[in-house]
Amino acid sequence: MNVILNDRLAPASYRSVFVSDVHLGTRDCRADLLAEFLRTMTCERLYLVGDIIDGWKLKRSWFWNSHHDDVLNLILRMGRSGTEIIYIPGNHDEMFRRWLPHALEVAGIRLCGEAEHVTATGRKFLVLHGDEFDSVVRYAPFLAMLGDRAYTVALVVNRWFNLVRRRLGLPYRSLSQWLKRQVKSAVMAIDRFETAVADEARRRGMDGVVCGHIHHAVIKDVDGVLYMNDGDWVESCSALVEHHDGSMELLDVTDVCNRSPAPAPLASGLFAGA
């Protein structure tokens, strides 16, 4: 488990790490925190569970700084050092899905539509981004784009909200996540998503599932299936890790570094953050 040393992450080693919804290329991506996490940990296997690069945003405008470069360079360095890296594209980086039939592997990064992860204790987990279980993204892409832009507005408000908190000496908190939890329809949509993804894992005879997409980090039992969402690097700044004994843990990096509120990027679908 990562611990705090002088407001920084202490080095840690994991068997597997799952990261999704980074949204590189957006102003609200917390690439600085992700880069720090990647620098201070080692793992045998790294899963990039979709929406690592935000192609939706990059079609309209361009934002890229040194922290975004750091994230890519650190991932490539991990691949060169022997870490097995599996990249499962999401809906925001769907441009990579056209290469899936070619079983592409570049610089030690293997491109897959989905994966099966077997833990140290033999449990089998389905790993996928999850947008195929979001009915808005799948059947009404125009509405998904509208939701995406509304989410962007919410994140601008979130940025100013946290600027005030910082000046008051208060830690970073995601206003947009809090608002989502207060909206009954959003909560019901998240519940439907979790149930649908867990049902798919059960249908395939899996013990559980790891996904991203909805920016809602959680580990929970859904009717006997272990549902795990690794969150995002826009609001929750979280990663799912497997320890060497096979146990799973959700890490919240914002608890380590309460710095200036770096906002959050585009959403997908009904979830405004997917």
Side-chain angles (χ1 to χ4, degrees), residues 66-130:
S66 61
H67 296 305
H68 295 228
D69 281 336
D70 288 344
V71 168
L72 292 184
N73 289 331
L74 287 163
I75 290 172
L76 291 172
R77 185 187 304 171
M78 291 174 71
R80 290 194 299 268
S81 301
T83 299
E84 181 184 358
I85 302 177
I86 298 95
Y87 188 170
I88 299 169
N91 51 305
H92 280 262
D93 49 13
E94 61 189 352
M95 59 277 191
F96 297 126
R97 286 178 171 170
R98 69 189 67 171
W99 297 339
L100 290 176
H102 304 294
L104 195 65
E105 183 168 341
V106 178
I109 302 174
R110 179 159 50 94
L111 205 61
C112 300
E114 60 183 43
E116 177 183 317
H117 176 71
V118 182
T119 69
T121 55
R123 290 185 295 173
K124 294 182 179 180
F125 296 143
L126 175 64
V127 186
L128 41 70
H129 180 64

Side-chain angles (χ1 to χ4, degrees), residues 193-210:
F193 176 86
E194 293 173 348
T195 299
V197 174
D199 285 347
E200 179 64 15
R202 183 182 301 104
R203 185 184 70 80
R204 300 198 198 185
M206 300 286 182
D207 298 299
V209 61
V210 178

